[in-house]
Coordinates of all heavy atoms in Angstrom, one line a residue:
L91 N -4.3 -9.5 -8.3 CA -5.2 -8.3 -7.9 C -6.2 -8.6 -7.0 O -6.6 -7.9 -6.0 CB -5.7 -7.7 -9.1 CG -6.3 -6.3 -9.1 CD1 -5.3 -5.3 -8.5 CD2 -6.7 -5.9 -10.5
S93 N -6.0 -10.9 -4.5 CA -5.4 -11.4 -3.3 C -6.1 -10.7 -2.1 O -6.3 -11.5 -1.0 CB -3.9 -11.4 -3.2 OG -3.4 -10.1 -3.2
P94 N -6.5 -9.6 -2.0 CA -7.2 -9.1 -0.8 C -8.5 -9.9 -0.5 O -9.0 -9.7 0.7 CB -7.6 -7.6 -1.2 CG -6.5 -7.3 -2.1 CD -6.3 -8.4 -3.1
A95 N -9.0 -10.7 -1.4 CA -10.2 -11.4 -1.2 C -10.0 -12.5 0.0 O -10.9 -12.9 0.6 CB -10.8 -12.1 -2.5
L96 N -8.7 -12.9 -0.1 CA -8.2 -13.8 1.0 C -8.5 -13.3 2.4 O -8.7 -14.0 3.4 CB -6.7 -14.2 0.8 CG -6.4 -15.0 -0.4 CD1 -4.9 -15.1 -0.6 CD2 -7.1 -16.3 -0.5
L97 N -8.3 -11.9 2.5 CA -8.5 -11.4 3.9 C -10.0 -11.5 4.2 O -10.3 -11.8 5.4 CB -8.2 -9.9 3.9 CG -6.8 -9.4 3.9 CD1 -6.6 -7.8 3.7 CD2 -6.1 -9.8 5.1
V98 N -10.9 -11.3 3.1 CA -12.3 -11.4 3.6 C -12.7 -12.9 4.0 O -13.5 -13.1 4.8 CB -13.2 -10.9 2.4 CG1 -14.6 -11.0 2.6 CG2 -12.9 -9.5 2.1
I99 N -12.1 -13.9 3.2 CA -12.4 -15.2 3.7 C -11.9 -15.5 5.0 O -12.5 -16.2 5.8 CB -11.6 -16.2 2.5 CG1 -12.4 -16.0 1.2 CG2 -11.6 -17.6 3.0 CD1 -11.6 -16.6 0.1
L100 N -10.7 -15.0 5.4 CA -10.2 -15.3 6.7 C -10.8 -14.5 7.9 O -11.0 -15.0 9.0 CB -8.6 -15.1 6.7 CG -7.8 -16.0 5.7 CD1 -6.4 -15.7 5.7 CD2 -8.0 -17.5 6.2
I101 N -11.0 -13.3 7.5 CA -11.6 -12.4 8.7 C -12.6 -11.5 7.9 O -12.4 -10.5 7.1 CB -10.4 -11.4 9.2 CG1 -9.3 -12.3 9.7 CG2 -11.0 -10.6 10.3 CD1 -8.0 -11.4 10.0
W102 N -13.9 -11.9 8.2 CA -14.9 -11.3 7.4 C -15.1 -9.8 7.6 O -15.6 -9.1 6.5 CB -16.3 -12.0 7.8 CG -16.8 -11.7 9.2 CD1 -16.4 -12.3 10.4 CD2 -17.4 -10.5 9.6 NE1 -17.0 -11.7 11.4 CE2 -17.6 -10.6 11.0 CE3 -18.1 -9.4 8.9 CZ2 -18.3 -9.7 11.8 CZ3 -18.7 -8.6 9.7 CH2 -18.7 -8.6 11.2
W103 N -14.8 -9.2 8.6 CA -15.0 -7.7 8.8 C -13.9 -6.9 8.1 O -13.9 -5.7 8.3 CB -15.1 -7.3 10.3 CG -14.1 -7.9 11.2 CD1 -14.1 -9.1 11.9 CD2 -12.8 -7.3 11.5 NE1 -13.0 -9.4 12.6 CE2 -12.2 -8.2 12.2 CE3 -12.2 -6.3 11.0 CZ2 -10.9 -8.0 12.9 CZ3 -10.9 -6.0 11.5 CH2 -10.3 -6.8 12.3
T104 N -13.0 -7.5 7.3 CA -11.9 -6.8 6.6 C -12.5 -6.4 5.2 O -11.6 -6.0 4.4 CB -10.7 -7.5 6.5 OG1 -10.9 -8.8 5.8 CG2 -10.1 -7.7 8.0
V105 N -13.8 -6.4 4.9 CA -14.3 -6.1 3.6 C -13.8 -4.7 3.2 O -13.3 -4.5 2.0 CB -15.8 -6.3 3.5 CG1 -16.2 -5.7 2.2 CG2 -16.1 -7.7 3.8
P106 N -14.0 -3.6 4.0 CA -13.6 -2.4 3.5 C -12.1 -2.2 3.2 O -11.6 -1.7 2.3 CB -14.0 -1.3 4.7 CG -15.0 -2.1 5.4 CD -14.6 -3.5 5.3
I107 N -11.3 -2.9 4.0 CA -9.8 -2.9 3.8 C -9.4 -3.6 2.4 O -8.7 -3.2 1.7 CB -9.2 -3.6 5.0 CG1 -9.3 -2.7 6.2 CG2 -7.6 -3.7 4.7 CD1 -8.9 -3.4 7.6
A108 N -10.1 -4.7 2.2 CA -9.9 -5.6 1.1 C -10.4 -4.6 -0.2 O -9.7 -4.8 -1.2 CB -10.6 -6.8 1.0
L109 N -11.4 -4.0 -0.1 CA -11.8 -3.1 -1.2 C -10.8 -2.0 -1.5 O -10.4 -1.8 -2.7 CB -13.2 -2.5 -1.0 CG -14.4 -3.4 -1.2 CD1 -15.7 -2.8 -0.6 CD2 -14.5 -3.9 -2.7
A110 N -10.3 -1.4 -0.4 CA -9.3 -0.4 -0.6 C -8.0 -0.9 -1.3 O -7.4 -0.4 -2.2 CB -8.9 0.2 0.7
L111 N -7.6 -2.1 -0.7 CA -6.4 -2.8 -1.3 C -6.5 -3.1 -2.8 O -5.7 -3.0 -3.6 CB -6.0 -4.1 -0.5 CG -5.3 -4.0 0.8 CD1 -5.3 -5.2 1.5 CD2 -4.0 -3.3 0.5
F112 N -7.8 -3.6 -3.2 CA -8.0 -4.0 -4.6 C -8.0 -2.7 -5.4 O -7.3 -2.7 -6.5 CB -9.5 -4.5 -4.7 CG -9.9 -4.7 -6.2 CD1 -9.5 -5.9 -6.9 CD2 -10.7 -3.8 -6.8 CE1 -9.8 -6.0 -8.2 CE2 -11.1 -4.0 -8.1 CZ -10.6 -5.2 -8.8
F113 N -8.6 -1.6 -5.0 CA -8.7 -0.4 -5.8 C -7.2 0.3 -5.9 O -6.8 1.0 -6.8 CB -9.7 0.5 -5.4 CG -11.1 0.1 -5.8 CD1 -12.1 -0.4 -4.9 CD2 -11.3 0.1 -7.2 CE1 -13.2 -0.7 -5.4 CE2 -12.6 -0.2 -7.7 CZ -13.5 -0.6 -6.7
M114 N -6.5 0.1 -4.8 CA -5.1 0.6 -4.8 C -4.2 -0.3 -5.7 O -3.2 0.2 -6.4 CB -4.5 0.5 -3.4 CG -4.9 1.6 -2.6 SD -4.3 1.7 -0.8 CE -3.1 0.4 -0.7
G115 N -4.5 -1.5 -5.9 CA -3.7 -2.4 -6.7 C -3.9 -2.2 -8.3 O -3.1 -2.5 -9.0
I118 N -1.4 0.0 -9.7 CA -0.1 -0.7 -9.7 C 0.1 -1.8 -10.7 O 1.1 -1.9 -11.4 CB 0.0 -1.3 -8.3 CG1 0.3 -0.2 -7.2 CG2 1.3 -2.2 -8.2 CD1 0.1 -0.8 -5.8
L131 N 4.1 -9.2 -7.5 CA 4.2 -9.4 -6.0 C 3.7 -8.3 -5.2 O 3.3 -8.6 -4.0 CB 5.7 -9.5 -5.9 CG 6.4 -10.7 -6.3 CD1 7.8 -10.8 -5.9 CD2 5.8 -12.0 -5.6
L132 N 3.6 -7.1 -5.6 CA 3.1 -5.9 -4.9 C 1.7 -6.1 -4.2 O 1.5 -5.9 -3.0 CB 3.3 -4.6 -5.5 CG 3.5 -3.4 -4.6 CD1 4.7 -3.7 -3.6 CD2 3.8 -2.2 -5.4
P133 N 0.7 -6.6 -4.9 CA -0.6 -6.8 -4.3 C -0.5 -7.8 -3.4 O -1.2 -7.8 -2.3 CB -1.4 -7.3 -5.5 CG -0.9 -6.5 -6.6 CD 0.7 -6.6 -6.4
L134 N 0.3 -8.9 -3.5 CA 0.5 -10.0 -2.5 C 1.1 -9.5 -1.3 O 0.7 -9.9 -0.1 CB 1.1 -11.1 -3.1 CG 0.5 -11.9 -4.3 CD1 1.5 -12.9 -4.9 CD2 -0.6 -12.7 -3.7
I135 N 2.2 -8.8 -1.4 CA 2.8 -8.2 -0.3 C 2.0 -7.2 0.5 O 2.0 -7.3 1.8 CB 4.2 -7.5 -0.7 CG1 5.2 -8.4 -1.3 CG2 4.8 -6.7 0.3 CD1 6.3 -7.7 -2.0
N136 N 1.2 -6.5 -0.1 CA 0.2 -5.6 0.5 C -0.6 -6.3 1.3 O -1.1 -5.8 2.6 CB -0.4 -4.5 -0.3 CG 0.6 -3.5 -0.9 OD1 1.6 -3.2 -0.4 ND2 0.2 -3.0 -2.0
T137 N -1.3 -7.4 0.7 CA -2.2 -8.1 1.5 C -1.6 -8.7 2.7 O -2.3 -8.8 3.8 CB -2.8 -9.2 0.5 OG1 -3.3 -8.5 -0.6 CG2 -3.8 -10.1 1.2
V138 N -0.4 -9.4 2.5 CA 0.1 -10.2 3.7 C 0.5 -9.1 4.8 O 0.2 -9.3 6.0 CB 1.5 -10.8 3.3 CG1 2.2 -11.3 4.4 CG2 1.1 -11.9 2.3
A139 N 0.9 -7.8 4.5 CA 1.3 -6.8 5.4 C -0.1 -6.4 6.2 O 0.1 -6.3 7.3 CB 1.8 -5.7 4.8
V140 N -1.2 -6.2 5.4 CA -2.4 -5.8 6.0 C -2.9 -7.0 7.0 O -3.4 -6.8 8.1 CB -3.5 -5.5 5.0 CG1 -4.8 -5.3 5.7 CG2 -3.0 -4.1 4.4
F141 N -2.7 -8.2 6.6 CA -3.2 -9.4 7.4 C -2.5 -9.4 8.7 O -3.0 -9.4 9.7 CB -2.8 -10.6 6.6 CG -3.1 -11.9 7.4 CD1 -4.5 -12.3 7.7 CD2 -2.3 -12.6 7.9 CE1 -4.8 -13.4 8.4 CE2 -2.5 -13.7 8.7 CZ -3.8 -14.1 9.0
F142 N -1.1 -9.2 8.7 CA -0.4 -9.2 9.9 C -0.7 -7.9 10.8 O -0.7 -8.1 12.1 CB 1.1 -9.4 9.7 CG 1.6 -10.7 9.3 CD1 2.1 -10.9 8.1 CD2 1.3 -11.8 10.2 CE1 2.5 -12.2 7.6 CE2 1.8 -13.1 9.8 CZ 2.3 -13.3 8.6
A143 N -1.0 -6.9 10.1 CA -1.4 -5.7 11.0 C -2.8 -5.9 11.6 O -2.9 -5.5 12.8 CB -1.5 -4.4 10.1
V144 N -3.7 -6.6 10.9 CA -5.0 -6.8 11.5 C -4.9 -7.8 12.7 O -5.5 -7.6 13.7 CB -6.0 -7.3 10.4 CG1 -7.2 -7.9 11.1 CG2 -6.4 -6.3 9.4
I145 N -4.0 -8.8 12.5 CA -3.7 -9.8 13.5 C -3.2 -9.1 14.8 O -3.6 -9.3 15.9 CB -2.9 -10.9 13.1 CG1 -3.5 -11.7 11.9 CG2 -2.4 -11.8 14.2 CD1 -4.9 -12.3 12.4
A146 N -2.1 -8.2 14.6 CA -1.6 -7.5 15.6 C -2.7 -6.6 16.4 O -2.6 -6.6 17.6 CB -0.4 -6.6 15.1
V147 N -3.4 -6.0 15.7 CA -4.5 -5.0 16.3 C -5.4 -5.9 17.1 O -5.8 -5.6 18.2 CB -5.2 -4.1 15.3 CG1 -6.5 -3.5 15.9 CG2 -4.2 -3.1 14.7
V148 N -5.9 -7.0 16.5 CA -6.8 -7.8 17.2 C -6.2 -8.5 18.6 O -6.9 -8.5 19.5 CB -7.4 -9.1 16.3 CG1 -8.1 -10.1 17.1 CG2 -8.2 -8.4 15.3
T149 N -4.9 -8.8 18.4 CA -4.3 -9.4 19.6 C -4.2 -8.4 20.7 O -4.4 -8.7 21.8 CB -2.8 -9.9 19.2 OG1 -2.9 -10.7 18.1 CG2 -2.1 -10.4 20.2

Side-chain angles (χ1 to χ4, degrees):
L91 192 56
S93 62
L96 295 173
L97 284 175
V98 177
I99 292 170
L100 297 173
I101 307 166
W102 67 269
W103 49 266
T104 59
V105 171
I107 298 168
L109 283 172
L111 282 174
F112 173 79
F113 284 112
M114 284 179 8
I118 291 170
L131 289 178
L132 208 50
L134 291 171
I135 292 168
N136 287 342
T137 301
V138 169
V140 167
F141 175 75
F142 284 120
V144 166
I145 295 299
V147 168
V148 168
T149 305

